[in-house]
Amino acid sequence: MKLQRKNRLRATALGALAVSGALVLTACGSDDNTESTGSGDKTAAAASNIKCDDAKGQVLAAGSSAQKNAMDLWVKNFQQACSGVEINYQPIGSGGGITKFTQGQVAFAGSDSALKPEEVTASEKICKGGKGINLPMVGGPVAIGFNVPGVDSLVLDAQTLAKIFDSKIKKWDDKAIADLNPDAKLPSTAIQAFHRSDESGTTQNLNKYLKAAAPAEWNYDDSSKSWEAKGGQAASGSSGVASSVKDTEGAIGYFELSYATASDLTTVKVDTGAGAPVEATTENASKAIAAAKVKGTGNDLALELDYATKAEGAYPIILVTYEIACDKGNKAETLPSVKAFLNYTVSDEGQKVLSEAGYAPLPTEIAAKVREIVPTLS
């Protein structure tokens, strides 16, 4: 059953990644993704439950590449149900998406980290009479993928990961790694650590995990979306990092689980101090995300995640991607489509497709809050 599930996830992610550029996903161009989500009957059922309301025209959006595969599925289903609507989502990274949003270039942005105070202030210029708010929409594990021939299973803890990504552990047979993997035949191969070249919420969430779980070893700003550690090699987007790890012997890198699955990369099990190392799975990520607390006020649902969790079976390197929109002052021509689309993505149907694509659906309580707020956007 585990192998069947892995193959299903791999097929899903491959189908989603195959969409050319994923800049504009139209209903007629999404046949490959129909296969990747499972049976055509499931897709038809999902589409039949979508309420289009007054949705029409084109909606421009941009941001997180972490949610790209989820967005591909959502857009396909939504556009199949709602003719005459085009959701154009550009997966340019969280930082780029927020910039476009605060400059009024997109109707909403995707970000793997909540808006900073100065970004909220900037949003007030384009949200006439309102401001940008964070709406949690999709969660999941940030997987640590590796390519070490002869090593099929690898356990690492926060301290060791911090030293690897900070270029302080340089060989795969380093004692710190060997101590965590006494049964592995570790080669003396040089470690090639890859990180994101673009501003990324995925980077920020890895920063937050390392800062929370290994504060003595990780001395970098955990609020930064840019990579600040020494050394390593850069690649663009999660897909670029995953491809680089796939093609480089001795490589290690971080990306969402769907990218690891699509590239057939083995992922690290994390020693959190719990009874057993924790694998990067949607179920294990959900256990950690379920403990999140809302730290935003009013209609802002920014979450506080516990990256240092030691709960049994809770995978600690997690992210939640927010859709960022104006609470008030949205453009009249795109508002109906934005509300209809977000109503679908946070619905039961929209959340159900996430597990099949390697993501973690929102906890029930958080999803319920988002469902109350989306209809109030004006």
Side-chain angles (χ1 to χ4, degrees):
M1 293 299 292
K2 182 176 181 181
L3 178 60
Q4 291 175 347
R5 183 176 180 277
K6 179 178 181 182
N7 287 338
R8 184 173 72 251
L9 283 174
R10 182 171 185 268
T12 301
L14 281 170
L17 286 169
V19 181
S20 176
L23 297 182
V24 181
L25 185 62
T26 61
C28 62
S30 58
D31 293 340
D32 288 344
N33 278 349
T34 300
E35 296 181 4
S36 72
T37 59
S39 70
D41 291 341
K42 287 184 179 180
T43 300
S48 68
N49 292 325
I50 295 174
K51 295 181 180 180
C52 303
D53 296 325
D54 297 322
K56 61 182 178 180
Q58 184 184 65
V59 174
L60 300 180
S64 165
S65 66
Q67 70 169 357
K68 172 191 173 298
N69 296 335
M71 188 62 70
D72 286 351
L73 296 172
W74 283 334
V75 170
K76 172 183 63 64
N77 288 343
F78 186 74
Q79 291 184 166
Q80 282 184 341
C82 305
S83 60
V85 181
E86 183 181 280
I87 307 295
N88 181 331
Y89 183 80
Q90 299 177 328
I92 60 175
S94 299
I98 290 174
T99 296
K100 282 184 173 289
F101 177 73
T102 56
Q103 291 178 348
Q105 297 178 25
V106 294
F108 70 90
S111 176
D112 308 321
S113 57
L115 290 169
K116 297 179 180 179
E118 60 269 25
E119 292 169 338
V120 174
T121 299
S123 74
E124 293 174 355
K125 297 178 181 179
I126 59 103
C127 300
K128 302 301 183 182
K131 62 182 179 181
I133 57 173
N134 303 284
L135 300 173
M137 200 61 69
V138 56
V142 177
I144 308 295
F146 65 95
N147 178 0
V148 184
V151 180
D152 298 323
S153 180
L154 188 68
V155 175
L156 297 174
D157 58 17
Q159 292 76 19
T160 306
L161 280 168
K163 291 177 181 178
I164 287 173
F165 281 112
D166 201 19
S167 301
K168 292 177 180 177
I169 292 179
K170 300 182 179 181
K171 298 284 187 179
W172 278 109
D173 60 353
D174 188 275
K175 184 178 183 301
I177 300 176
D179 287 347
L180 290 165
N181 300 273
D183 298 326
K185 295 182 179 179
L186 298 167
S188 60
T189 307
I191 294 175
Q192 306 289 338
F194 284 88
H195 57 264
R196 292 279 290 271
S197 60
D198 50 325
E199 285 199 344
S200 161
T202 310
T203 293
Q204 186 181 37
N205 281 278
L206 177 63
N207 272 334
K208 287 181 178 295
Y209 161 70
L210 293 174
K211 191 71 171 181
E217 288 78 15
W218 197 251
N219 299 310
Y220 300 100
D221 180 6
D222 65 355
S223 69
S224 176
K225 297 184 181 71
S226 299
W227 187 257
E228 297 182 353
K230 302 173 183 177
Q233 302 181 56
S236 178
S238 291
S239 59
V241 175
S243 295
S244 297
V245 173
K246 176 75 172 178
D247 296 339
T248 307
E249 186 172 318
I252 188 171
Y254 60 94
F255 27 75
E256 293 67 45
L257 181 60
S258 58
Y259 291 92
T261 306
S263 296
D264 199 23
L265 288 167
T266 306
T267 60
V268 168
K269 295 178 182 178
V270 178
D271 183 346
T272 64
V278 187
E279 186 177 356
T281 67
T282 56
E283 293 86 354
N284 292 342
S286 292
K287 292 177 183 178
I289 294 172
K293 298 178 181 179
V294 175
K295 65 178 181 180
T297 58
N299 284 346
D300 185 272
L301 296 180
L303 301 177
E304 182 177 350
L305 302 174
D306 182 7
Y307 298 94
T309 180
K310 295 183 180 180
E312 293 296 331
Y315 184 78
I317 318 176
I318 50 177
L319 60 76
V320 171
T321 294
Y322 302 91
E323 309 312 334
I324 295 171
C326 297
D327 58 353
K328 299 177 181 178
N330 289 279
K331 294 181 179 179
E333 60 269 26
T334 57
L335 179 59
S337 296
V338 169
K339 291 172 69 174
F341 181 65
L342 296 183
N343 274 329
Y344 161 61
T345 61
V346 77
S347 69
D348 285 337
E349 293 79 8
Q351 291 292 301
K352 282 178 182 177
V353 305
L354 295 178
S355 294
E356 297 180 10
Y359 295 94
L362 293 175
T364 303
E365 297 80 3
I366 295 174
K369 292 179 180 179
V370 179
R371 289 172 193 153
E372 291 176 359
I373 293 171
V374 171
T376 70
L377 301 180
S378 63

